Amino acid sequence: DGDKGRTVQKRKIRELLESIDPKERLDGEVEDLLLDVADEFIDSITRFACQLAKHRKSDRLEVNDLALHLDR
């Protein structure tokens, strides 16, 4: 499937779609676009949370670090 290096796998996108509508199918390019968006979103949240943890002089991420970015 070409999912190597991705945070989210095509299988998960397909499972999500099937849970919403088992008869629906996505074009391969749409799947790739959704995977790119998901990877960018996860990367953005993680980077922001790491910066917050570093600012707090901590070497651990906390749920609040992630939630702060999501609340924006």
Side-chain angles (χ1 to χ4, degrees):
D1 273 358
D3 284 346
K4 191 173 185 176
R6 290 202 181 270
T7 306
V8 179
Q9 306 297 311
K10 282 188 180 183
R11 178 180 51 82
K12 288 294 186 184
I13 296 290
R14 291 175 185 152
E15 288 174 1
L16 176 61
L17 180 62
E18 187 174 314
S19 74
I20 297 167
D21 184 352
K23 297 178 185 177
E24 192 65 49
R25 297 292 176 257
L26 292 177
D27 181 75
E29 290 182 22
V30 174
E31 284 181 339
D32 289 338
L33 177 64
L34 289 173
L35 292 170
D36 288 344
V37 169
D39 282 342
E40 288 173 19
F41 179 72
I42 292 167
D43 185 59
S44 172
I45 291 171
T46 305
R47 286 179 189 273
F48 184 87
C50 288
Q51 289 173 344
L52 282 178
K54 186 176 180 180
H55 179 73
R56 291 187 293 102
K57 299 185 185 334
S58 176
D59 61 353
R60 295 179 188 253
L61 288 178
E62 295 179 1
V63 172
N64 290 340
D65 297 327
L66 298 166
L68 184 61
H69 185 64
L70 293 172
D71 287 342
R72 296 173 108 208

